[in-house]
Amino acid sequence: MRQMVEAAREGVLAVDRDGVVLVCNLAARHMIGVAGGDPTGRNLAEIDPALWDRARAVISSGEACQYEETTPDGGVISAGLSPFAQHGETAGVFCLLRPGADCERLAQELAVSKELSERLDMIIESSHDGLWINDAQGVVIKVNAASARRMGLPAEAIVGRHVRELVEEGFFDFSATLEVLRTGQPVTLQQNLKDGGQALVTGTPVFDDKGELSLVVVNDRDMTSIEELRALLKESRAHTQQFRSELIRSQISQDLDSKLVVRSAPMRRTLETALRVARTESNVLITGESGVGKGLVAKVIHEASARRREPLVRVDCGAIPASLIEAELFGYEKGAFTGALDAGKPGYFEMARGGTLFLDEVGELPLNVQAKLLRFLDEKEVVRVGSTAPLVLDVRILAATNRNLKEMVAQGSFRKDLFFRLSVVPLALPPLRERPEDIPPLVNFFLRRLETPDQPLKNFAPAVLECLRRYAFPGNVRELANLVEQLAVLTPGARIELADLPPAVQNPDLALAEAAGQDDLNLARAVDSVERQLIIRALKIYGSQRQAAKYLGVSHATLSRKIARLGIVVT
């Protein structure tokens, strides 16, 4: 529809009752003298005062009118103005402009435009989801009946108000519009409403031809029924795109695959701290169990910092053999050791020059490498293996670990001075079991990521979501992601029921009891059975013996011996 209006030879112009331009195609821009840019969002009184005077008269009388006028260059423009209504009141005016006098055809085209307006209004009002249209200052231009019902106010009591007033009066606690105005980016958040209900709200910015924010389109959905979650973001994208294609000409890319799904208060506070520290050069130590998202938080800090255009280099300190980690981190010169490249090799520090070096599992660093890392933090210089010449590098350090570094300091396996230099700003990520409110949106996020033409979006039954909220998730977000993928791939139907969950998720205590053998009172055999089940589960979650050993709290060598003794087949 937008392409049809834009390509029309006649001028098509629509304004609301306050004179704000809603639609203005190329022909109309030429006729009112703004051919150089899109006037959407501007006031008609500033562009064409005479035309606004006629439009205002139509709004006042509620009657259509037609007229002709001579332009300064001697031409003649025929115009037809017709009011359009909302909730039984005149909401604005459609104008059709064309050279010459052809009133009959103009009246016909005016009727077509009025019908188009009425259909668009019907689409918006018939939506089960709430739809808000706000201007670039945050003032409500339009709100449909679904949102008005949830607010407990008539639509006319909402239109014309600033969304900040509605927040201050307690109608909802967070505003997607304010977040979009603050960041200029699409945002999805959960609102707590005045009546105790909850809504999932998506705000999308709309930009004009100059790249300036013109409108904010907000879609909201009632979340009191978890059943409605299954098609949430897919439908909100469709509704938002439908409105934009009818009303505006901007091409907006809507990306609802948020990098972070944050609903719980602890994670919200942690993310706010991360974004604040991102603007500084302070070293950050991110702690938390395996799978909680330490790497993702490090990426967010880097992308929110002044170094975002420079590289982010991630190093898994636990995956590099101890004999090679110094050379990998700091680089080496020609002939530094047997097998070294003839030309030498730059290390990860040099690769991260100007950017950020993320040291994941920093607690795995040997003591000699810890000393060189401390030297870099003190003097911003490194020395390649086999060299004596220092290299001065501008690199920011982010570190992460799932180990208790304070205990390692007390045991002498981690340097005390290095611990304090790394943890200038500590960020502790809570495990998933401590933030169960994040589980439903995370499930929805992972399901959307798996959706393909051959793998349609599946639906989790409410009982399944409630069971997942009660489950401890020792593997945290990583385990949840793997579980969602497993269920999406292996469940034959479109709906995932409670019976589709693995027994260990449905009832962890019962699963361990069955694994041990309730009728077997031999302690050694029961212990072996439980060990076997836990090791198999850890290997499935983490995919490698080294990571599984960390999760189980044993050394890699100990785990290897247990796997051999228990006859576990590692694939």
Side-chain angles (χ1 to χ4, degrees), residues 138-460:
V139 176
V140 181
I141 297 174
K142 182 175 178 60
V143 60
N144 73 346
S147 284
R149 283 195 301 271
R150 279 195 276 275
M151 290 282 290
L153 292 174
E156 53 269 22
I158 301 173
V159 173
R161 301 188 64 183
H162 199 287
V163 291
R164 185 176 288 108
E165 297 177 19
L166 301 174
V167 174
E168 292 172 352
E169 294 177 17
F171 287 102
F172 39 77
D173 54 353
F174 295 106
S175 168
T177 298
L178 294 180
E179 285 299 302
V180 171
L181 294 178
R182 183 178 67 85
T183 65
Q185 299 292 326
V187 63
T188 298
L189 54 84
Q190 182 173 309
Q191 279 183 344
N192 294 311
L193 305 180
K194 191 174 185 178
D195 63 358
Q198 291 182 327
L200 191 67
V201 183
T202 298
T204 303
V206 176
F207 299 94
D208 59 23
D209 289 344
K210 298 179 180 178
E212 297 179 353
L213 185 67
S214 174
L215 297 171
V216 179
V217 179
V218 178
N219 172 275
D220 70 73
R221 166 163 288 195
D222 185 6
M223 287 189 63
T224 53
S225 173
I226 299 179
E227 179 66 18
E228 293 182 352
L229 281 173
R230 64 186 185 89
L232 175 65
L233 294 183
K234 183 177 181 180
E235 292 185 12
S236 67
R237 183 185 294 118
H239 284 300
T240 303
Q241 184 61 37
Q242 180 183 48
F243 176 82
R244 291 185 310 179
S245 64
E246 294 284 345
L247 189 61
I248 59 173
R249 62 185 304 274
S250 302
Q251 297 293 332
I252 303 297
S253 173
Q254 185 181 20
D255 180 11
L256 296 180
D257 291 335
S258 304
K259 294 178 181 178
L260 286 175
V261 177
V262 180
R263 299 292 180 272
S264 63
M267 277 300 291
R268 190 186 299 275
R269 289 193 295 269
T270 300
L271 181 58
E272 289 173 352
T273 302
L275 293 177
R276 283 197 298 272
V277 77
R279 297 191 291 267
T280 73
E281 289 295 308
S282 301
N283 300 326
V284 180
L285 179 62
I286 307 170
T287 59
E289 299 177 5
S290 292
V292 295
K294 298 187 291 294
L296 187 56
V297 171
K299 186 175 181 181
V300 168
I301 293 174
H302 172 75
E303 292 184 350
S305 73
R307 298 175 179 266
R308 57 185 173 274
R309 293 183 177 84
E310 302 300 329
L312 169 65
V313 177
R314 176 172 181 165
V315 182
D316 186 350
C317 300
I320 304 175
S323 59
L324 296 177
I325 192 165
E326 181 178 4
E328 291 294 322
L329 283 175
F330 303 105
Y332 57 84
E333 295 293 335
K334 174 183 178 181
F337 53 86
T338 303
L341 297 176
D342 291 341
K345 181 182 177 183
Y348 288 117
F349 276 86
E350 293 178 61
M351 294 167 60
R353 188 192 302 265
T356 304
L357 182 65
F358 174 45
L359 299 175
D360 196 10
E361 300 305 337
V362 69
E364 305 298 322
L365 290 176
L367 286 171
N368 65 311
V369 177
Q370 293 179 29
K372 295 192 70 170
L373 175 57
L374 181 63
R375 175 180 177 179
F376 172 80
L377 294 174
D378 287 336
E379 304 175 13
K380 293 295 181 182
E381 63 180 31
V382 299
V383 178
R384 285 187 176 188
V385 175
S387 174
T388 58
L391 295 172
V392 178
L393 300 173
D394 174 26
V395 177
R396 182 184 187 180
I397 299 296
L398 304 178
T401 183
N402 63 356
R403 303 182 66 178
N404 190 327
L405 293 188
K406 289 184 179 179
E407 289 185 0
M408 295 180 65
V409 169
Q411 297 166 1
S413 57
F414 200 86
R415 293 179 63 110
K416 182 178 181 179
D417 46 5
L418 177 60
F419 170 73
F420 287 112
R421 288 305 306 272
L422 288 175
S423 59
V424 174
V425 178
L427 282 180
L429 303 188
L432 189 57
R433 62 181 172 274
E434 295 180 6
R435 45 189 179 100
E437 59 267 43
D438 284 343
I439 291 177
L442 280 169
V443 168
N444 191 50
F445 172 79
F446 294 133
L447 281 175
R448 279 189 9 257
R449 194 171 65 178
L450 294 169
E451 184 182 9
T452 65
D454 297 328
Q455 181 70 39
L457 192 67
K458 294 197 175 183
N459 173 31
F460 272 58

